Amino acid sequence: MNVWSKLLTALRGGANEMGEAVVDSQALRILDQEIRDADSELRKSKEALAEIMAKHKLASDKVSKSATSIAEYEQYALKALEAGNETLAKEVAEKIANLEVEQANEREQAEGFAASVAQLRKAVSQAEGNIKRLKQQVDTVKATESVQKAQMAVAQRYGGSQAKLQTAVESLERIKQKQAERGAKMEASAELAATSAPDDSLEAKLRAAGIKADSASADSVLARLKDKSKA
């Protein structure tokens, strides 16, 4: 196989794959249309069945009427024979023979219509059953398709939400870390301030109790000056 033949084969294969992909993507739509077409054909079959049933009824009525007419003319022939009028009886007999031929034809037609009605009834019943089962299967397929699409959407959203949630958790951890560092710095600053500052509160308590003199009081200044004058 030369290069061009291989290339054409590859192109045909690609076209077939593309065609199959299109058919698969539109499978439910195509199937719905096929079901509608089948319903339409089924309606036509039912209309044809109704027409044949009507013809069968008419043919059966004709057979019944022919039987009634034959019985009636048989009575006429018997009465003619009783009256000794054989010529009239023979004429009536010919009429009966013609009626019997017509009746035989009508019976044959009625039986043919009856056979057609039976066949069509069976075909229509099978078609109705097939279409009903097909519709049920299509409903199941559509429901499954909807559920699977919902599951895929949930899975995609869950995957996205998990990524977003992970990012949020990382941001929260960074904020907590910064807050912890800031708190540690504030505690360290407070400790440094406490160690470097004099304990003013204790000094004030000692002076208030008279245990320690207030270096800034007038008495302490006067005492210091007296000490200097004695010297």
Side-chain angles (χ1 to χ4, degrees):
M1 184 180 290
N2 58 33
V3 175
W4 288 109
S5 297
K6 291 181 179 179
L7 180 59
L8 290 174
T9 301
L11 291 174
R12 286 198 300 270
N16 288 334
E17 291 177 358
M18 185 179 298
E20 289 177 358
V22 172
V23 170
D24 290 341
S25 65
Q26 301 295 322
L28 289 176
R29 183 177 298 176
I30 292 171
L31 191 54
D32 284 338
Q33 183 58 48
E34 289 176 344
I35 291 175
R36 285 193 291 270
D37 293 340
D39 279 332
S40 177
E41 293 299 323
L42 180 60
R43 284 194 297 271
K44 292 178 182 178
S45 298
K46 288 182 177 180
E47 291 173 358
L49 174 59
E51 291 178 1
I52 294 176
M53 290 175 66
K55 290 180 180 180
H56 174 253
K57 184 178 184 304
L58 291 175
S60 298
D61 290 343
K62 286 181 179 180
V63 172
S64 298
K65 289 179 181 179
S66 295
T68 301
S69 296
I70 289 171
E72 181 182 353
Y73 280 98
E74 284 178 349
Q75 293 298 320
Y76 294 154
L78 290 173
K79 287 180 180 180
L81 289 172
E82 289 175 0
N85 192 345
E86 188 171 345
T87 302
L88 181 58
K90 185 177 180 180
E91 187 177 349
V92 174
E94 290 176 356
K95 176 67 173 179
I96 293 172
N98 292 332
L99 288 174
E100 287 177 348
V101 171
E102 291 179 4
Q103 185 188 45
N105 293 332
E106 291 164 354
R107 184 179 290 111
E108 184 178 357
Q109 288 182 352
E111 290 174 353
F113 286 137
S116 297
V117 167
Q119 291 176 354
L120 274 176
R121 279 184 183 275
K122 184 178 180 180
V124 167
S125 178
Q126 289 178 346
E128 285 180 333
N130 292 335
I131 291 174
K132 183 178 181 181
R133 285 190 294 272
L134 184 58
K135 287 181 178 179
Q136 290 173 345
Q137 292 176 5
V138 169
D139 290 340
T140 301
V141 170
K142 286 182 178 179
T144 302
E145 186 76 7
S146 298
V147 170
Q148 289 180 348
K149 286 183 178 179
Q151 289 175 336
M152 290 174 63
V154 170
Q156 291 174 354
R157 292 193 183 96
Y158 179 76
S161 63
Q162 283 294 97
K164 293 179 180 178
L165 181 61
Q166 183 63 32
T167 302
V169 169
E170 291 175 356
S171 299
L172 182 60
E173 290 299 325
R174 286 196 298 272
I175 293 173
K176 288 182 178 179
Q177 182 65 28
K178 290 181 179 180
Q179 289 178 342
E181 292 175 357
R182 189 181 301 117
K185 289 179 180 179
M186 293 173 65
E187 290 178 0
S189 298
E191 290 178 359
L192 290 174
T195 55
S196 60
D199 193 354
D200 294 336
S201 59
L202 180 61
E203 294 294 327
K205 289 178 180 179
L206 290 173
R207 285 193 296 271
I211 298 174
K212 183 177 181 180
D214 188 355
S215 59
S217 64
D219 292 337
S220 61
V221 172
L222 182 61
R224 188 175 68 251
L225 293 174
K226 287 180 176 180
D227 290 337
K228 286 184 177 181
S229 62
K230 290 179 180 180

